[in-house]
Amino acid sequence: EAGVVQSPRYKIIEKKQPVAFWCNPISGHNTLYWYLQNLGQGPELLIRYENEEAVDDSQLPKDRFSAERLKGVDSTLKIQPAELGDSAVYLCASSSFNFDQPQHFGDGTRLSIL
Amino acid sequence: DAKTTQPNSMESNEEEPVHLPCNHSTISGTDYIHWYRQLPSQGPEYVIHGLTSNVNNRMASLAIAEDRKSSTLILHRATLRDAAVYYCTHNTGNQFYFGTGTSLTVIP
């Protein structure tokens, strides 16, 4: 089966500019996660979707970050405006609904803010 | 927050077994234990998971303590391709929390 696809793989922008990341999960996976990963750290959850519904966005900085998952398939994560501290890898993962099922991760988008 | 603790780094000789430990101090009775590993410039890769019983798959074995407060990932014969950062995690409150992981070095 095809894996989780993320684009772009790399993005370099100047601070205060907007940026968007796209994720296509594995077909049939109801649950979609966005994580942020800083260098030398484990992934940190930003938002979790069950189908179209954002069921946990408590860690999402809502003043500048937004996300959507239209039709319960693809998802987009946006930052506007970007700050220097947002430089990180943004990972998308998907899984079946039940928590006894593993998450499958994409290779992430590495964001660099100048 | 669900918390796991792991050693920062470990070393193993090639073709020898490796036991990677993890403490799950906040685990509850219905939380599954998952292990992932991550190579540079790649997303984490699923390795194995379990609830109470020990588990085996083609990649590794997972040993879970009777009180479930600790688990051990076992690589039976380490290869150079097993060099990675290994994360243990468990789901609490419908979330998985990843720690800083264990960086495994495999020595030829």
Side-chain angles (χ1 to χ4, degrees):
Chain A
E1 62 181 5
V4 175
V5 179
Q6 290 189 247
S7 68
R9 286 282 280 129
Y10 304 93
K11 189 72 176 180
I12 301 174
I13 62 172
E14 294 185 345
K15 64 181 180 181
K16 300 185 181 180
Q17 295 300 306
V19 65
F21 315 122
W22 175 80
C23 173
N24 180 238
I26 291 174
S27 178
H29 280 187
N30 308 86
T31 305
L32 184 145
Y33 308 78
W34 281 103
Y35 289 90
L36 176 153
Q37 186 172 29
N38 289 305
L39 189 64
Q41 303 295 314
E44 300 172 33
L45 182 70
L46 290 172
I47 190 168
R48 178 171 66 93
Y49 282 93
E50 297 291 347
N51 299 309
E52 302 91 350
E53 183 181 0
V55 296
D56 188 345
D57 62 357
S58 58
Q59 303 303 314
L60 189 73
K62 298 181 184 63
D63 57 336
R64 297 184 299 108
F65 286 66
S66 65
E68 62 181 9
R69 190 183 184 197
L70 299 176
K71 301 181 181 179
V73 181
D74 295 0
S75 179
T76 303
L77 178 68
K78 298 178 181 178
I79 309 174
Q80 182 172 11
E83 297 180 352
L84 291 174
D86 296 331
S87 295
V89 175
Y90 292 83
L91 294 163
C92 178
S94 70
S95 69
S96 300
F97 179 75
N98 296 324
F99 284 100
D100 64 342
Q101 298 303 309
Q103 296 181 48
H104 298 265
F105 285 81
D107 285 334
T109 297
R110 181 175 297 276
L111 175 65
S112 297
I113 311 295
L114 303 178
Chain B
D1 289 358
K3 185 170 178 64
T4 61
T5 53
Q6 302 175 254
N8 288 331
S9 62
M10 293 183 64
E11 288 186 351
S12 174
N13 293 318
E14 194 175 10
E15 298 191 2
E16 290 189 355
V18 183
H19 290 231
L20 298 166
C22 176
N23 288 322
H24 304 266
S25 59
T26 61
I27 198 167
S28 65
T30 57
D31 294 348
Y32 280 83
I33 294 170
H34 290 235
W35 282 80
Y36 294 83
R37 70 182 185 183
Q38 188 173 24
L39 297 171
S41 299
Q42 295 185 19
E45 174 191 26
Y46 166 77
V47 178
I48 199 166
H49 75 287
L51 184 60
T52 56
S53 302
N54 294 344
V55 183
N56 301 294
N57 67 19
R58 63 176 179 81
M59 293 179 69
S61 295
L62 175 61
I64 300 173
E66 192 168 343
D67 65 0
R68 303 201 335 114
K69 296 296 185 183
S70 66
S71 68
T72 301
L73 179 69
I74 303 164
L75 306 178
H76 296 287
R77 291 183 65 200
T79 70
L80 297 179
R81 289 177 295 179
D82 291 324
V85 177
Y86 287 79
Y87 295 99
C88 62
T89 182
H90 58 267
N91 62 298
T92 296
N94 297 341
Q95 284 198 19
F96 286 90
Y97 293 90
F98 293 79
T100 55
T102 297
S103 179
L104 176 65
T105 300
V106 180
I107 302 168

